[in-house]
């Protein structure tokens, strides 16, 4: 059931007289797994009044059925089979005997599934928490306390509340007035009571009428690993094959990036069940994300990385290589440098083209910006002198080699920390690429403040400004990832008090990003202060959960030349930066119409810089990372 | 400033030209400490535009003032003086220069207070979180990251919102429509953002008009350590002395059990400021809690104890001694036994008084119930034969000595676990005292089920039933105590997943207790099942915070003879049981009118019993203690 280039598709059986035959049917039609009842309904058991204990016959098929033919015990059970819990189980019944009997049945079926080593157990969640409190307790008990519990629990949830669908065609009732809760609420409450257990997975049952866009998008922030598509949802095209409506196609496209699996359920309404598979596989292959960022980022989806600290640590050769590959960033820098050179030439009218313009590249790395500056100079035939300052001695080696082999004396290599260097002359243009995913988070402001004394009064800094952005995010995936980062000897909250660089995939954007902190260069304030404080107010469109904030930046390199990773203005095909994620320690339940009021601080002392963040509304959440106790960026 | 038999009272000074003189004035008038500004307002400093750094004179008095005369450096500062932060500090100003300058001032004053080693720093909190986010951040930063931060922070909060008071006499505005938030909201939001830091303490400013009873009671669940009483709140009695109104007296009485200190503030409006002290001290001494439970429980207020496990562990001699001292419990048992003996006599009319009635005391300990049974028999002249079964061999020694010296052959001592013993005959009455604070939590049901086979078909069990009760509770004190119980090698939530026995003091009852689980003895069910599930719905009267549930029990010993620790029916003067506390991992903010829906489970397997609990509404909270992972009671 691993994700491959073909869609992973399963076939749902409502009853299984002969399991081997089922597997054969599924297999010849290209389905990779089957969903079958764990126990035949005829074997409904009775524990409370003693009949189950007294019965002598077996209560379900033996676990050796699959193995006799293939000589590999259990192997099929744990790759091919998802087990369905009996639908008559009703542990929240108000009739004590029914509840008690259901509990025994449930425990027995789960024990069987564990014994067989199934990949997953699945059941339908019907209704709000009130009706499922005992179910939640028993499932959570099994998950929390069974150490060898390998199976996932697929919680089947309809995309639309069946009650809403039932009322849809009735004119005597106004659906909006009925306040029918969304099935997402069922899921949200259920998993909260199960303490966000990672093994709880959503299997969405695709409905005929789809909910509106926002509701579908909200599922993108949940651990949806399976779409269950009833055969009745398919329509027949002109040539007689099953296809999906445009709306359904678009919905499925959204989930393709979450690497979902599919399950076809219901009686075949077309010539051959393989057609459903073919169609799903066709959609899947069409919609595999395939942009340069996607292929670059493959495997990094929702993976938490600690932000780089290039100021404190020297980057490795491989890291340089990755970033130098960016097809966009250095082109933009080159355009910016070119424009700046032209402007300087125009401004100083007395300068003829033979006078040299001085450029300093601070933090030159292995030279991509030096190359950009050289290219720009050549292109507009402007004589330049380029200082390349780099503190990493290993990178300096590369620079020196390039200088000797290619650049010649136009370029002067300086092996020094830019903050300690004493420049022999002032520069016309100061170029740097010190920006992190959150703009200032690699301490570009502090570094550039330190070197701006070498910039002429009318000199130009590239970049000349940058702004960070934040947006509220729902992502139970990321919440769970951060929760799993707990380290024993650190402050118990420290994993929630640091930002992570992450290629977001499984998330729902609660509201659009808003600007947070802006820095300008050169900074001509009398007393430079790079601490910042920002308060943002976001709107909540529908009930959802806040798990943290996504962070982005954009930068003005020079005049209209900008680079951005803010989603609405993202520089096409630029891949140097993934966004950043600021988690919060406790998920906050949000209601449609709520305001989220967030507070972010950028704090500085002589040795380090750090962020603190907190929430004021809808409910207050404690200040994260006070005094930088969990994460700082060293100067 | 420790709590003694006299009230601890401080005197507030708005300006201090001569500190030694101030202390002298306070001291001769019996005040134990003073509250003074940390810095004279004339020394208002200016950091942003450089003047503070350039000024050469001192910015406040020297720290050696107090020491020269008494030859003990600093000792006075850290017992006698509470420092007030400058009222002009406004770190949340929207004018950046004011905010920045305020921050510098605030940090300097806090540093001074730390340097002097003051017991406490105090400031007035004005308004909602929105207006105090930066203040909260800076205070929390200092608390979280200054390891030698010994001082408490006294947050001064008015009992009534000044806006409400201002509108009170105006007829053109309806106060109820204005939705003026209570100052408790200011506090609640502020301390949440400061992550419930233990050093944040409430100093309530007593207002002329008191809020209603519920609002005052809500403060009893907060860490109120000081009442600040303006002199203008006092009225003058016939003899010319300052006294408080009845309403104010009643309010102060409530806080006396929290061991608050007092501060008198404002100009003296009576002949001598000592009169205020005398009056407060008079109230204080009158209202020291002095019942038998209070004196028995002194020192145990809000102290968390793990429930006893007498079934697994043998009790110590001292423990027996404490419980045998109960003046009520054994009297009630004796009455119940007496009534049962009479009933048996009446029922078996053919029995003349000479026939022997058999009594078994299971878990006889050091014999108090044997004594009660003997007393009852003697009183109604009924011949009895008493089996005293006890598993603790050390307690058996005491029983055997008593039997030889006093009881004689009427009493038969059996040294055995009641669950393993084989009785030589069946008994008429089965007596036990296996109840815990939560009724069944010391496994009385399981034990009595095991021995009821020795009870005659028409035999009587004493107790014959018991019921546990729960009630939702606000107590930031207990929340913080539980939070502090974190143990490194256990599950990160385990301290929130166990019940604690606790003598509640600093708490607010959100709603009245409701019954939860009931057990009857003898249990004549075909299949005995001691697992239980209970769902309770509580009403929230005003905005507050849920920190957990208090637990109680009552028991029917026999017919109308009951014992109870449920507050409304508490057996007077009975002291054997403190209540129990079930914490929840995250405080839940509640709104007036909300419903709290709680779910409790009593779970059993062959080896142990445990509780699980969760909340469904107003927001779901995860199931605590799944599978008894954090706490169980061993069989």
């Amino acid at each position: 059931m691993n994700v491959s280039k073909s869609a992973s598709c399963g076939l749902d059986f409502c009853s299984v007289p002969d399991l081997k035959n089922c597997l054969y049917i599924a297999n010849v039609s290209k389905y990779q797994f089957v969903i079958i009842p764990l126990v035949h309904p005829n074997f409904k058991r009775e524990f409370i009044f003693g009949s189950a204990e007294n019965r002598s016959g077996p209560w379900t098929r033996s676990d050796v059925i699959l193995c006799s033919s293939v000589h590999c015990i259990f192997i099929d059970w744990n790759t091919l089979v998802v087990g369905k819990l009996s639908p008559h189980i009703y542990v929240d019944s108000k009739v004590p005997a029914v509840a008690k009997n259901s509990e025994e049945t449930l425990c027995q079926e789960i024990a069987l599934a564990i014994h067989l080593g199934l990949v997953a157990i699945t059941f339908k969640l019907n209704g709000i928490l009130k009706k499922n409190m005992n179910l939640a307790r028993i499932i959570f008990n099994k998950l929390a306390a069974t150490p060898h519990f390998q199976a996932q629990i697929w919680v089947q949830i309809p995309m639309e509340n069946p009650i809403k669908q039932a009322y849809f065609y009735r004119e005597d009732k106004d659906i909006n007035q009925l306040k029918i809760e969304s099935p997402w609420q069922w899921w949200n409450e259920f998993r909260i009571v199960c303490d966000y257990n990672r093994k709880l997975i959503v299997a969405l049952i695709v409905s005929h009428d789809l909910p509106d866009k926002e509701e579908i998008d909200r599922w993108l922030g949940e651990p949806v690993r399976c779409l269950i598509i009833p055969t009745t949802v398919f329509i027949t095209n002109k040539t007689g094959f099953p296809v999906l409506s445009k709306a359904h196609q678009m919905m499925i496209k959204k989930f393709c990036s979450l690497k979902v699996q599919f399950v076809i359920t219901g009686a075949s309404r077309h010539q051959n069940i393989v057609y459903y598979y073919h169609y799903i596989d066709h959609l899947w292959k069409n919609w595999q994300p395939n942009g340069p960022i996607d292929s670059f980022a493959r495997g990094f989806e929702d993976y938490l990385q600690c932000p780089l600290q290039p100021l404190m640590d020297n980057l490795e050769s491989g890291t340089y290589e990755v970033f130098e590959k960016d097809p966009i960033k250095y082109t933009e820098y080159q355009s910016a440098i070119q424009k700046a050179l032209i402007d300087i030439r125009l401004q100083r009218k007395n300068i003829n083209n033979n006078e040299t313009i001085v450029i300093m590249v601070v933090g030159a790395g292995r030279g991509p910006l030096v190359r950009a500056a050289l290219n720009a100079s050549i292109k507009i035939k402007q004589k330049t002198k380029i200082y390349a300052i780099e503190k990493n001695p290993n990178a300096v080696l590369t620079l020196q080699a390039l200088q000797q082999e290619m650049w010649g004396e136009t370029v002067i290599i300086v092996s020094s920390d830019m903050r300690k260097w004493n420049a022999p002359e002032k520069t016309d243009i100061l170029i740097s690429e010190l920006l992190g995913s959150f703009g200032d988070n690699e301490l570009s402001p502090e570094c550039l403040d330190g070197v701006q004394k070498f910039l002429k009064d009318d000199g130009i800094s590239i970049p000349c400004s940058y702004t960070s952005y934040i947006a509220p995010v729902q992502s139970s995936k990321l919440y769970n990832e951060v929760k799993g980062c707990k380290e024993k000897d650190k402050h118990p909250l420290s994993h929630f008090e640091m930002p992570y660089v992450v290629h977001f995939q499984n998330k729902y954007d609660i509201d659009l990003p808003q600007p947070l902190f802006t820095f300008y260069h050169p900074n001509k304030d009398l007393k430079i202060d790079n601490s910042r404080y920002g308060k943002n107010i976001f709107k909540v469109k529908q009930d959802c959960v806040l798990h943290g904030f996504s962070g982005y930046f954009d930068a003005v390199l020079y005049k209209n030349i900008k680079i951005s990773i803010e989603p609405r203005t993202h520089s096409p095909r630029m891949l140097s930066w993934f966004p950043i994620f600021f988690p919060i320690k406790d998920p906050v339940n949000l209601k449609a119409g709520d305001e989220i009021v967030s507070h972010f601080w950028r704090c500085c002392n002589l040795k380090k810089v750090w962020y603190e963040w907190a929430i004021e509304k809808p409910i207050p959440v404690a200040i994260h990372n006070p005094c930088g106790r969990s994460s700082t960026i060293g100067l």
Side-chain angles (χ1 to χ4, degrees), chain A residues 83-102:
Chain A
K84 283 191 280 192
L85 296 174
S86 294
H88 59 77
I89 290 174
Y90 187 29
V91 290
D92 286 86
S93 167
K94 289 199 174 145
V95 183
V98 173
K100 206 75 199 172
N101 201 48
S102 289

Side-chain angles (χ1 to χ4, degrees), chain A residues 542-580:
Chain A
Q542 62 179 343
D543 294 4
C544 56
V545 182
L546 178 68
H547 291 114
F549 294 86
S550 54
Y552 313 95
F553 82 96
D554 66 13
V556 178
L557 293 181
Y558 184 64
K559 289 192 170 167
N560 64 337
I561 315 278
K562 293 175 187 168
I563 54 175
S564 167
I565 65 162
E566 201 271 284
R568 287 166 295 183
T569 58
H570 199 296
S571 309
R573 291 174 294 123
M574 186 172 72
L575 45 75
S576 286
W577 294 274
F578 290 149
I580 208 163

Side-chain angles (χ1 to χ4, degrees), chain A residues 193 483 565:
Chain A
V193 168
K483 205 173 156 192
I565 65 162

Side-chain angles (χ1 to χ4, degrees), chain A residues 348 356-360 385 387 421 423-429 451-459:
Chain A
R348 306 188 191 157
T356 304
I357 296 181
V358 182
I359 295 175
M360 280 182 196
K385 178 178 178 187
Y387 289 93
W421 182 51
E425 63 180 317
K426 288 204 172 185
T427 184
D428 295 291
I429 304 176
V451 291
Q452 70 181 16
K453 58 181 179 284
F454 307 133
L455 188 64
K456 287 181 186 165
D457 283 349
D458 59 351

